[in-house]
Amino acid sequence: AVIALGATGAARSHTREEDVSTVPPVGREGLALLALGLTLLLAKGLWLDRADTPFRRARLVGDVVQGVGEPVRANFDDDLELLAAALPSAPVPVDQVAAITLGWRALPPVAEELSVSLQLEDALGRRFGQSDRQHPADMPVTRWLPGEYALDEHTMTFPPGTPPGPYTLWLQVYETATGELTSVRDAAGRPAGARLAVGTITLARPTAPPPAEIMPMADRLDADLGDHIRLLGHGPLPERVSVGEPLGISLFWQATAAPARTREARLRLLDGAGWPVAETRHVPPRPDLPPLAWRAGDLFRDDVIWRVPVLADSPPADAVPGPLAAGRYTVRLALVDGQGALVGPELELGQVEITAPARTFSLAEVEQSLEVAFGGVAALRGYDLAPREAAPGETVTLVLYWESLAVTEASFTVFVQMLRDGDILAQQDSPPLGGGRPTTGWYPGEFLADPYRLVIPLGAEPADYGVIVGLYDAGSGSRLTTASGDDAATLPDTVKVRPAVGAP
């Protein structure tokens, strides 16, 4: 449903004034066609552009798309601007389809083709639906003209067993060729995260419970764990996961009758000697849908995201203090009451290989020492910067030396910016070591050398540019602050950009 694009073709394929002499004389048939064209153009101006019709279902008035959901204002890296979003107003049964419409405006010129991704997640961050569109409104954004806007229509289905309840609809825009995410810009034009919460979609129970046979179970158990709660089975366990990373597993629950009590599911990780070194408990499938609210025959999918701890929860008494060791661990599941006591049998779900990174507990020699702590999570202890002078097209390498201060459940992204008077010349955002060492796996007291590359763009103005460094939560865009309350550390050195070769 592309708006204001229908007339664009005619506007783009016009006859230039200097070519009029080459146009053959217009005959009677030509005059008739010309009259018809003028009539259609007049009808478009007087009727199609002013009324809601199958050809034009919405109008852009200022920055508001009339007749399409709720107004929204979100800028994605000055390439696309979201103006409106229409979400289902009534609960959607899990076995039905949800229709979603987005109103976009391009901010040309757009250099790269962009794709749109919608993701439906619950309050725990578990995804239960997704819709990706290679071109918003089926029109490559590199072809949009200034002021054009379009309606981008999506449909979303949900896996069988999706629990009913409210879900947040998230939106991301990314480069089609590379998959690189664009940033949502705040009112000041600064990056504020890689995705936007568009609104809430509420799902209702399916029109009929799904058959157990269609559930993607790697192991069918049909195990009654007590209080009319049955574990039908589970999805595959990952073969390998590193400390600090999520160990994901899908559990499939069924109510053989209406449970009279709320129970918790307990997952434990046991080492090779059978000692439980890690444990997690949760209300299946979600705290706002406890077993006490289940009906007979309900079947729910429970996607558990359990982060393997950096430290053992309950190490053996003779264990040497330190991070969780690499090795093969057993995963076990049981139902427990509010005091943690078993209410049924404990099941072995399988084994998983836990890996751990090599760690360094001494600071390497650095060019420039620093002492800047970020939110009690990490401290920047120094950096290497080379070269200190560069021309457009050249690359400046910055190596940051971090010290981990505490275990954190949040995965932070590092940002490095070269700027002058608040204007960013070059920037790189990345989880530490290119994603190879997320902060969730850091052990207190270890040091990491973290490299970044800043490419000086062609046409950069010769001047001295400052460099700032910080950390932010990629999901929310929230930055960690320093002891002085700043959301970034300014390095004491600058980078001098020389004139381009051959420049006057």
Side-chain angles (χ1 to χ4, degrees):
V2 179
I3 312 301
L5 297 180
T8 303
R12 297 180 191 177
S13 57
H14 62 279
T15 301
R16 296 179 299 171
E17 184 177 356
E18 60 268 29
D19 292 337
V20 172
S21 60
T22 65
V23 179
V26 179
R28 184 174 301 173
E29 294 180 357
L31 288 174
L33 289 174
L34 180 60
L36 177 60
L38 290 173
T39 301
L40 291 175
L41 186 61
L42 183 62
K44 174 184 179 299
L46 295 178
W47 178 56
L48 290 177
D49 288 348
R50 298 173 181 271
D52 290 335
T53 72
F55 304 99
R56 184 179 182 86
R57 290 173 294 172
R59 297 181 62 228
L60 183 64
V61 178
D63 293 322
V64 178
V65 181
Q66 293 186 333
V68 179
E70 298 296 327
V72 182
R73 197 73 184 275
N75 183 319
F76 290 81
D77 272 346
D78 290 328
D79 288 330
L80 278 178
E81 189 176 26
L82 183 66
L83 299 178
L87 278 57
S89 57
V92 179
V94 167
D95 53 354
Q96 303 296 315
V97 176
I100 303 155
T101 301
L102 305 175
W104 291 106
R105 176 166 59 187
L107 303 173
V110 180
E112 304 292 339
E113 294 296 351
L114 300 175
S115 296
V116 172
S117 179
L118 286 171
Q119 299 139 18
L120 198 70
E121 295 182 1
D122 66 9
L124 302 177
R126 302 179 297 184
R127 187 173 301 172
F128 286 89
Q130 183 165 337
S131 173
D132 281 51
R133 180 67 64 82
Q134 183 173 356
H135 302 302
D138 294 323
M139 172 64 73
V141 293
T142 54
R143 302 181 190 175
W144 290 26
L145 295 180
E148 288 185 327
Y149 67 103
L151 298 186
D152 185 23
E153 297 178 345
H154 294 250
T155 57
M156 187 175 291
T157 58
F158 316 102
T162 296
Y167 290 80
T168 300
L169 184 67
W170 294 93
L171 170 64
Q172 290 180 319
V173 176
Y174 59 93
E175 290 187 7
T176 304
T178 65
E180 182 178 353
L181 294 172
T182 65
S183 296
V184 183
R185 301 282 175 167
D186 62 17
R190 301 186 309 176
R195 63 179 189 167
L196 176 75
V198 179
T200 300
I201 294 178
T202 300
L203 300 183
R205 278 182 165 83
T207 55
E213 291 72 25
I214 69 172
M215 296 297 168
M217 291 182 283
D219 193 3
R220 180 76 182 265
L221 299 175
D222 290 314
D224 291 316
L225 301 185
D227 292 331
H228 309 298
I229 300 173
R230 173 179 295 168
L231 182 68
L232 285 176
H234 62 86
L237 280 167
E239 293 183 3
R240 186 175 292 103
V241 62
S242 182
V243 294
E245 291 293 285
L247 191 164
I249 181 172
S250 296
L251 307 174
F252 297 91
W253 302 99
Q254 187 179 48
T256 57
R261 300 175 183 85
T262 288
R263 299 303 190 188
E264 292 183 330
R266 184 189 72 184
L267 284 163
R268 296 197 300 169
L269 205 60
L270 282 65
D271 65 13
W275 187 269
V277 296
E279 176 181 312
T280 183
R281 289 163 56 175
H282 72 283
V283 176
R286 206 173 52 221
D288 63 340
L289 188 62
L292 192 61
W294 296 4
R295 303 172 185 171
D298 274 346
L299 195 164
F300 297 127
R301 177 181 182 134
D302 180 15
D303 291 333
V304 180
I305 303 174
W306 179 18
R307 195 175 297 280
V308 177
V310 175
L311 303 173
D313 293 337
S314 55
D318 59 349
V320 177
L324 189 71
R328 194 155 187 83
Y329 291 79
T330 299
V331 180
R332 298 183 68 88
L333 169 73
L335 285 184
V336 297
D337 62 18
Q339 286 70 47
L342 290 174
V343 297
E346 186 174 34
L347 307 174
E348 182 174 322
L349 303 187
Q351 292 188 326
V352 60
E353 189 75 22
I354 303 297
T355 62
R359 304 183 191 273
T360 301
F361 292 94
S362 59
L363 178 62
E365 184 176 347
V366 300
E367 291 181 4
Q368 175 66 54
S369 296
L370 284 178
E371 291 287 340
V372 182
F374 288 89
V377 172
L380 184 59
R381 296 305 190 196
Y383 64 89
D384 300 338
L385 179 64
R388 302 297 177 94
E389 293 188 12
E394 296 181 346
T395 299
V396 174
T397 299
L398 174 67
V399 181
L400 304 174
Y401 293 90
W402 300 103
E403 181 185 1
S404 173
L405 301 180
V407 173
T408 177
E409 290 289 315
S411 181
F412 291 100
T413 297
V414 178
F415 68 90
V416 176
Q417 297 175 354
M418 186 185 302
L419 70 175
R420 185 167 68 97
D421 297 332
D423 295 328
I424 298 173
L425 177 73
Q427 175 172 347
Q428 185 184 359
D429 291 27
S430 174
L433 278 78
R437 288 298 313 276
T439 55
T440 53
W442 290 12
Y443 181 77
E446 74 166 313
F447 293 87
L448 301 95
D450 187 19
Y452 293 84
R453 292 165 55 86
L454 299 170
V455 179
I456 309 299
L458 299 176
E461 181 180 349
D464 289 334
Y465 290 82
V467 180
I468 64 172
V469 175
L471 295 132
Y472 65 89
D473 186 319
S476 66
S478 299
R479 295 184 178 185
L480 291 177
T481 56
T482 66
S484 60
D486 297 324
D487 61 5
T490 301
L491 304 188
D493 291 300
T494 61
V495 175
K496 184 179 184 63
V497 175
R498 302 190 306 267
V501 177

